[in-house]
Amino acid sequence: DGRIEAFFQFAEGLARMPAFRDANTPPREKTALLVQEAARDSIIREIGFIDNQGTYHGADGKTVDVREREYVRRALDGQNFISEPYVSKIDNSLVITVAVPIYDDNRQVIGVVMTDIKAEWLSKQIDDIIVGKTGYCYILGITGDTAAHRNMELVEKRANPIEVAKRNSSYAALAEFTQKALSSKDSSVGEYLYQGGITIAAYATIPTTQWKVIVSAPKNEFMGTVDQLRVSLL
């Protein structure tokens, strides 16, 4: 949650630039300022200014009506928004869209700063979370699609354990655990049979997105030390 909030703070900082509060600054100039800022960060694929009518203004002067897109509607309603990973229609790259509202001095929404970032950014935020020896962390979106994982192929395919279990019964226990995690408001821990062994896993909700963070590892990695102690005591 903290790592996502940090990116929101970056976008909000851009939205507070004086040029965006000035109605006399042409939209193309506003986008040019954003492009200049984006050049400093390699994870940004695209960045742009959207006016309060839902029109996207490109650095090349082109305009596109994007008012029906969810990130535009949410930001114009005054909400910060971050999407789950998806394939961009522009260049078929895997991206995450971040959008924040632009306010005038009266706290009225007058536009949106939109940023597309490389989807692997989210996976990199959790690749340092290790559980036991082989355990790891991953993130599921609202419906169970994989939003972040050490295996980026699962993110690209938007792999969903619940949907996979409908075609492969060996995923039934994982699907049941996943469904429980998605429907629960509280953090918890559980066990399930996966690939011939028992896996122990815990889940919690990211407040900013309502996505689920899950950490899992083979149960014997947790219980191995306890088993050794039992033998020693005997």
Side-chain angles (χ1 to χ4, degrees), residues 129-195:
I129 301 174
I130 307 298
V131 185
K133 296 179 180 179
T134 63
Y136 58 93
C137 175
Y138 60 98
I139 297 176
L140 298 180
I142 298 295
T143 62
D145 291 349
T146 303
H149 200 283
R150 62 181 182 181
N151 182 356
M152 281 301 297
E153 184 178 350
L154 296 178
V155 180
E156 293 170 0
K157 293 180 178 179
R158 303 181 72 172
N160 187 316
I162 298 173
E163 295 302 318
V164 172
K166 294 177 181 179
R167 305 186 299 271
N168 187 338
S169 60
S170 65
Y171 284 80
L174 173 58
E176 182 179 352
F177 171 83
T178 300
Q179 187 62 64
K180 181 180 179 181
L182 294 177
S183 59
S184 176
K185 295 182 179 180
D186 301 318
S187 302
S188 188
V189 64
E191 298 179 2
Y192 55 88
L193 180 65
Y194 182 64
Q195 294 184 341

Side-chain angles (χ1 to χ4, degrees), residues 138 177 188-192 199-203 214-217 222:
Y138 60 98
F177 171 83
S188 188
V189 64
E191 298 179 2
Y192 55 88
T199 292
I200 185 169
Y203 56 83
I214 300 175
V215 291
S216 66
F222 288 100

Side-chain angles (χ1 to χ4, degrees), residues 17-232:
M17 295 172 68
F20 292 103
R21 307 166 82 103
D22 183 2
N24 296 318
T25 302
R28 187 173 180 178
E29 289 186 21
K30 294 178 180 180
T31 295
L33 286 172
L34 292 175
V35 172
Q36 182 179 349
E37 290 294 325
R40 303 175 184 178
D41 198 327
S42 61
I43 71 168
I44 296 177
R45 294 197 62 89
E46 183 184 358
I47 193 166
F49 165 72
I50 300 169
D51 63 30
N52 60 1
Q53 300 301 311
T55 301
Y56 173 86
H57 298 267
D60 56 1
K62 293 182 179 179
T63 59
V64 181
D65 184 353
V66 293
R67 57 187 165 184
E68 294 304 318
R69 298 183 184 180
E70 184 181 9
Y71 69 84
V72 177
R73 290 187 281 106
R74 296 275 289 274
L76 288 177
D77 281 342
Q79 304 174 47
N80 287 346
F81 176 83
I82 182 170
S83 75
E84 296 179 22
Y86 67 96
V87 176
S88 171
K89 294 180 179 179
I90 298 175
D91 59 5
N92 292 320
S93 61
L94 197 65
V95 299
I96 293 172
T97 295
V98 176
V100 299
I102 301 170
Y103 294 98
D104 63 14
D105 293 335
N106 297 316
R107 292 295 294 174
Q108 297 297 312
V109 177
I110 56 175
V112 175
V113 169
M114 180 281 295
T115 306
D116 279 350
I117 60 176
K118 298 177 181 178
E120 53 263 34
W121 171 82
L122 185 59
S123 293
K124 288 181 178 179
Q125 302 310 301
I126 60 171
D127 64 4
D128 60 346
I129 301 174
I130 307 298
V131 185
K133 296 179 180 179
T134 63
Y136 58 93
C137 175
Y138 60 98
I139 297 176
L140 298 180
I142 298 295
T143 62
D145 291 349
T146 303
H149 200 283
R150 62 181 182 181
N151 182 356
M152 281 301 297
E153 184 178 350
L154 296 178
V155 180
E156 293 170 0
K157 293 180 178 179
R158 303 181 72 172
N160 187 316
I162 298 173
E163 295 302 318
V164 172
K166 294 177 181 179
R167 305 186 299 271
N168 187 338
S169 60
S170 65
Y171 284 80
L174 173 58
E176 182 179 352
F177 171 83
T178 300
Q179 187 62 64
K180 181 180 179 181
L182 294 177
S183 59
S184 176
K185 295 182 179 180
D186 301 318
S187 302
S188 188
V189 64
E191 298 179 2
Y192 55 88
L193 180 65
Y194 182 64
Q195 294 184 341
I198 300 296
T199 292
I200 185 169
Y203 56 83
T205 303
I206 303 177
T208 52
T209 61
Q210 298 303 302
W211 300 343
K212 298 295 179 179
V213 173
I214 300 175
V215 291
S216 66
K219 186 176 180 179
N220 58 15
E221 291 186 11
F222 288 100
M223 303 304 294
T225 302
V226 175
D227 292 338
Q228 292 173 12
L229 179 59
R230 182 184 297 114
V231 171
S232 298

